[in-house]
Amino acid sequence: MGYITLPRRLFLWCMALIYMIAFVSLYLQIPGLYGNDGLLPARWQLRYSGKGLWEQLLSSPTLLWLAPRLGLDTQTAMELLCLLGAALSLAATVLESLRDSLVFLFLWIIYLSMYQVGQVFLYFQWDSLLLETGFLCVLIAPVTSLRGWRAGREHDPVTFWLVRWLLFRLMFASGVVKLTSRCPTWWGLTALTYHFETQCIPTPLAWFAHQLPVWWHKLSVVATFAIEIAAPFLFLSPLRRLRLGAFYMQVLLQVLIILSGNYNFFNLLTLTMCLSLLDDEHIYFWLRKKYTPNPNQGSLLWWAGFVVEIAVWALIGFGTVTWFDLQINWDKGTVSSRTVFTFHQFNQFLKTVTFPSVWLGVLSLTWELVSAMFRCACVEGFFKRVLGTVQWTVFGAAAVSMFAISLVPFTFIEYDSNASVWPGVRQGYDAVSRYQLVNSYGLFRRMTGVGGRPEVVIEGSMDKVTWTEIEFMYKPGNLSAPPSVITPHQPRLDWQMWFAALGTHKHSPWFTSLMYRLLQGKTDVIELIQSDVSQYPFHQQPPMYLRAHRYKYWFTKTLADGSYPQRWWRRVYIEEFYPTVHLGDTFLESMLSQHGLKDKSLPRRVSEAAVPQVVKWVRSQVRGVSAPLLLWSLLFCSVTLCLLRGLQLEITLKTKPTAAKAEPKPTATPHHPDAMEANSNDKDGLGQREEEEVDAEEDERSGEDEESEREENDVRDEEEDGKEEDGSVD
């Protein structure tokens, strides 16, 4: 694999941006979800039993244990941590010097602290994925506070490889579980005929995608299987073009999902992980900049690799056509498809490839370790060589350890393979499982809503005669309201309403708390339903009675003349979901007691100290603001600032007086990873130096004839001054 300096830097920039999204989105919902008057108060998860602080941290690793020692209640502490995480990640987005290992460690600890008390509203796969990827950032990011640790980074490809392995586990497991679940829609290739209207929060484009012919939906399912089951093996390929092909296949899938569904930051996080498949050469291709060509291009070895690549793509294409019996009907202009293998055959295939894929990962990681060790041995200077070897040893051991414990959740997809995992590895996984360092994944295991999309509709009344529907901001309810576009925000109550509709209210204890809080008229909970409280039908006075019914929803269809209907949805009544209740109602009180939703202790009194008052003031400033609008505003401002900083540096370089250099000479082409990094800092807005460093770079760009060894040492010295860099990735 080529140099990965630019993809690594871009990866860290994207991770800082995603952390900001996650913290801000969660912060806006803390009072309604976890506040003292919220649905599931977080203070209930922190039972102070007299144990020491260290014992409490070991039992439940969260910084919220420190709240009483700081004079804060749990809600204020959660808001403060989210604000710190959002501010730090925003700063890291703008300033490259803050994309530091210690900064990412702090961000990971904050999100883990939220996760530990988040209960059902934070138990989504993308929350676990963010924690796992965020911990990898701690290993990937440089330690800019230590000057020597920036001198040599020959271990970078080793730690960055862990992101590729995580991406492989995520995609391969997501494809496999669709078939191991025996879901008839996935086996019959009809899943997408239901998916667009039954997903949690569809976009308006989902309505149009739903109108596509069935043969196109079935062909899309076939493509999904090819991208999620076959293509991931190319992630670990030593052949560069195979990885690039797999990269664009994943990007296509993720972009289509983003356009048709609101999955918060999950798809953005997956796209960020796909950067691990790239190298500097391809980034320079995007930027239309020169790059030193591969010296082996045109050789016999190069042609052998090219033949292998053609053979691999042909094998994937042939296998897809054969296993799904793809046939083109030229007269009708359609493509027919069907699954021609059985569950037993697929199970045998899974048994055959699961452990070999582990050994493929071992070989790929070993190659990265050996290559990094060779680069350490080639470093000039005894001290730098020793320092590079120490770093390689430390981070190589960390990479091997992370890979080993990840085998336990990865082999969950196949029972026999999981049973064959070495006991020592399993013990290591059990020891760190509470920290969410590695997790199992498997998205869309079964397609729900085959007979219609179930939706729970809550109604309120003042007299038990006239009932008014309580409409949520994002989830389907009003038949005439278009589907929402809210990415990258995740309204966690709306998501859980989707899960609640799949079962009974007893399977979702928090729903009883929702009914109780609405009867009490708690503003924090109402803002989860309508951020503009004036849009809530009972904003002036809480309803006396509440009830909930289950409906089946379907997308409307285009009319016979090809025109569009006036409504987006149609529905039919199914059954009662929650009986009519009021404050003091016997049924409501019994359900609150049964699920442990009764307040057992009074909340801590809010302190009048400066920090709680500042947190309270910030909350007052964002109250009533639309979450998607706030997130997109922050995204626009941060990205714009990054672009302006890059543009300012570009203008500075171009307008620098060069009268003394009368004869223009060709621009040097980067050929060393550190030289490429320094060049990208100045040319592409990826870094910034002080005046004398810009002068040195301008001299290099003017083509001064220096010895190669001196040039590389100068650039390496510049990189050691990382504390002076504050550029951004645009």
Side-chain angles (χ1 to χ4, degrees):
M1 180 157 180
Y3 299 126
I4 48 87
T5 302
L6 298 182
R8 179 180 60 86
R9 294 158 68 93
L10 185 58
F11 169 80
L12 294 176
W13 181 82
C14 291
M15 285 301 301
L17 201 65
I18 291 172
Y19 262 126
M20 182 193 69
I21 292 170
F23 280 122
V24 173
S25 177
L26 179 60
Y27 167 76
L28 295 173
Q29 303 174 76
I30 285 177
L33 295 178
Y34 306 115
N36 297 324
D37 294 326
L39 300 180
L40 298 175
R43 61 188 174 87
W44 295 351
Q45 299 298 308
L46 302 173
R47 301 297 184 186
Y48 299 92
S49 56
K51 295 181 179 179
L53 177 61
W54 183 248
E55 292 180 287
Q56 292 173 333
L57 289 173
L58 287 178
S59 62
S60 179
T62 172
L63 295 178
L64 295 175
W65 290 114
L66 301 174
R69 291 171 169 82
L70 299 176
L72 304 175
D73 67 326
T74 304
Q75 176 183 340
T76 304
M78 289 187 72
E79 293 188 26
L80 177 61
L81 286 178
C82 268
L83 287 174
L84 290 176
L88 189 57
S89 54
L90 177 59
T93 301
V94 178
L95 302 177
E96 187 183 18
S97 59
L98 289 179
R99 279 169 238 148
D100 178 86
S101 179
L102 298 179
V103 171
F104 278 108
L105 176 61
F106 189 55
L107 292 174
W108 177 79
I109 291 174
I110 293 178
Y111 205 80
L112 179 64
S113 299
M114 301 293 106
Y115 180 87
Q116 292 296 327
V117 298
Q119 306 166 78
V120 69
F121 293 108
L122 263 171
Y123 289 169
F124 293 100
Q125 291 196 47
W126 34 86
D127 294 308
S128 298
L129 183 63
L130 179 58
L131 284 171
E132 184 170 350
T133 313
F135 185 78
L136 296 184
C137 289
V138 179
L139 302 178
I140 295 169
V143 185
T144 56
S145 57
L146 299 178
R147 178 185 179 91
W149 283 74
R150 286 186 60 87
R153 295 197 297 248
E154 284 72 19
H155 66 273
D156 281 346
V158 177
T159 52
F160 201 40
W161 178 91
L162 292 173
V163 180
R164 259 198 288 164
W165 174 246
L166 173 57
L167 180 65
F168 171 81
R169 288 165 41 216
L170 171 68
M171 300 310 301
F172 184 68
S174 297
V176 164
V177 298
K178 293 176 173 61
L179 295 175
T180 56
S181 67
R182 299 196 182 192
C183 177
T185 62
W186 287 115
W187 279 92
L189 308 181
T190 58
L192 290 187
T193 60
Y194 308 103
H195 165 73
F196 294 111
E197 69 178 0
T198 61
Q199 60 184 318
C200 181
I201 305 178
T203 67
L205 285 179
W207 186 92
F208 294 94
H210 183 73
Q211 313 302 320
L212 294 172
V214 173
W215 70 267
W216 182 264
H217 287 155
K218 297 179 70 174
L219 186 62
S220 299
V221 173
V222 173
T224 300
F225 284 138
I227 293 174
E228 292 186 346
I229 297 179
F233 287 96
L234 305 183
F235 300 168
L236 307 177
S237 169
L239 299 177
R240 176 175 176 271
R241 280 188 294 261
L242 288 180
R243 294 194 303 273
L244 292 179
F247 167 80
Y248 283 107
M249 292 173 72
Q250 301 303 320
V251 169
L252 174 63
L253 176 63
Q254 299 305 320
V255 169
L256 291 177
I257 294 175
I258 291 173
L259 293 176
S260 61
N262 292 283
Y263 293 95
N264 51 81
F265 56 82
F266 171 63
N267 302 109
L268 300 178
L269 182 55
T270 307
L271 287 172
T272 299
M273 293 164 57
C274 288
L275 294 173
S276 62
L277 303 176
L278 303 179
D279 54 21
D280 287 356
E281 181 178 351
H282 202 67
I283 299 295
Y284 271 81
F285 169 76
W286 285 353
L287 299 175
R288 296 294 188 267
K289 296 184 181 297
K290 293 182 180 180
Y291 191 90
T292 302
N294 185 353
N296 295 322
Q297 188 169 353
S299 65
L300 181 61
L301 184 62
W302 184 89
W303 281 108
F306 181 75
V307 172
V308 172
E309 292 163 0
I310 296 298
V312 168
W313 291 119
L315 180 62
I316 293 177
F318 175 78
T320 303
V321 171
T322 303
W323 294 334
F324 295 100
D325 192 24
L326 299 183
Q327 297 182 10
I328 301 177
N329 187 324
W330 298 103
D331 295 333
K332 297 182 179 180
T334 62
V335 178
S336 63
S337 55
R338 64 185 182 92
T339 306
V340 297
F341 54 89
T342 64
F343 176 79
H344 175 72
Q345 290 173 326
F346 181 75
N347 219 22
Q348 289 299 118
F349 162 79
L350 199 55
K351 290 178 182 291
T352 303
V353 303
T354 300
F355 242 91
S357 65
V358 171
W359 287 110
L360 182 62
V362 171
L363 291 176
S364 182
L365 177 57
T366 302
W367 172 259
E368 296 294 347
L369 287 169
V370 172
S371 300
M373 182 177 63
F374 179 76
R375 286 191 295 272
C376 289
C378 295
V379 172
E380 296 183 0
F382 175 77
F383 177 75
K384 291 183 178 180
R385 189 180 302 121
V386 171
L387 181 59
T389 303
V390 171
Q391 293 184 45
W392 173 84
T393 303
V394 172
F395 287 95
V400 171
S401 301
M402 290 293 295
F403 172 76
I405 61 176
S406 71
L407 299 182
V408 177
F410 170 65
T411 53
F412 283 161
I413 59 177
E414 206 281 305
Y415 177 79
D416 292 338
S417 299
N418 184 257
S420 302
V421 174
W422 301 279
V425 172
R426 195 179 300 277
Q427 292 174 3
Y429 168 76
D430 293 337
V432 300
S433 59
R434 72 184 66 181
Y435 303 107
Q436 301 297 308
L437 299 186
V438 291
N439 302 279
S440 60
Y441 303 99
L443 301 169
F444 297 107
R445 184 184 301 269
R446 298 188 65 87
M447 190 56 58
T448 58
V450 174
R453 173 198 183 94
E455 279 291 346
V456 173
V457 176
I458 301 176
E459 299 176 336
S461 175
M462 303 301 296
D463 54 11
K464 221 174 182 178
V465 176
T466 303
W467 293 89
T468 303
E469 291 188 10
I470 297 177
E471 184 178 350
F472 285 64
M473 282 184 291
Y474 308 118
K475 84 177 191 69
N478 188 336
L479 302 181
S480 301
S484 305
V485 178
I486 58 174
T487 300
H489 173 59
Q490 182 187 5
R492 296 181 180 268
L493 176 58
D494 293 63
W495 267 86
Q496 286 300 332
M497 288 291 290
W498 182 79
F499 284 107
L502 301 177
T504 66
H505 68 83
K506 294 181 180 180
H507 295 153
S508 303
W510 57 266
F511 191 86
T512 295
S513 181
L514 174 62
M515 301 290 278
Y516 180 58
R517 296 304 190 190
L518 292 180
L519 286 171
Q520 290 179 317
K522 297 298 183 181
T523 303
D524 290 339
V525 175
I526 293 173
E527 288 182 343
L528 295 176
I529 298 175
Q530 290 289 341
S531 58
D532 183 1
V533 178
S534 63
Q535 300 297 318
Y536 181 69
F538 300 99
H539 64 278
Q540 294 181 340
Q541 182 181 358
M544 295 294 295
Y545 303 93
L546 282 178
R547 68 183 184 186
H549 291 146
R550 194 199 320 263
Y551 289 81
K552 286 284 184 73
Y553 276 65
W554 295 270
F555 271 142
T556 55
K557 297 181 179 180
T558 54
L559 302 179
D561 58 358
S563 59
Y564 299 131
Q566 294 182 346
R567 292 184 173 183
W568 293 82
W569 299 95
R570 59 186 179 90
R571 73 180 186 184
V572 297
Y573 175 81
I574 300 299
E575 60 186 350
E576 180 184 74
F577 182 79
Y578 205 91
T580 302
V581 292
H582 57 85
L583 288 178
D585 184 83
T586 305
F587 176 80
L588 179 62
E589 292 294 325
S590 65
M591 294 303 297
L592 289 172
S593 300
Q594 178 180 337
H595 297 309
L597 298 172
K598 280 283 194 178
D599 280 333
K600 300 178 181 179
S601 60
L602 294 177
R604 184 185 182 89
R605 187 176 62 86
V606 179
S607 172
E608 296 297 328
V611 173
Q613 293 305 312
V614 170
V615 173
K616 184 178 180 181
W617 178 82
V618 174
R619 171 62 59 184
S620 66
Q621 300 305 304
V622 300
R623 187 174 295 276
V625 177
S626 170
L629 177 61
L630 178 59
L631 281 172
W632 277 108
S633 299
L634 289 173
L635 285 172
F636 177 79
C637 292
S638 57
V639 172
T640 301
L641 184 57
C642 291
L643 292 175
L644 289 177
R645 294 176 68 89
L647 182 61
Q648 180 184 14
L649 182 59
E650 189 76 16
I651 294 175
T652 301
L653 293 175
K654 289 183 177 181
T655 58
K656 190 72 177 176
T658 56
K661 304 177 182 64
E663 295 184 4
K665 295 184 179 181
T667 302
T669 303
H671 58 280
H672 184 277
D674 290 333
M676 290 165 56
E677 184 170 354
N679 190 43
S680 64
N681 283 347
D682 290 331
K683 296 183 66 177
D684 304 322
L686 297 176
Q688 186 174 357
R689 299 174 175 82
E690 292 189 0
E691 190 67 21
E692 64 273 18
E693 294 174 327
V694 174
D695 292 340
E697 183 65 14
E698 187 66 17
D699 292 340
E700 181 185 355
R701 288 166 54 88
S702 301
E704 290 190 349
D705 190 13
E706 298 179 351
E707 294 180 357
S708 175
E709 176 182 346
R710 179 181 176 185
E711 177 184 299
E712 293 179 2
N713 289 336
D714 288 343
V715 174
R716 193 175 290 276
D717 289 339
E718 290 178 5
E719 287 304 306
E720 291 177 4
D721 295 333
K723 60 184 179 181
E724 296 178 1
E725 295 181 354
D726 61 348
S728 59
V729 176
D730 52 349

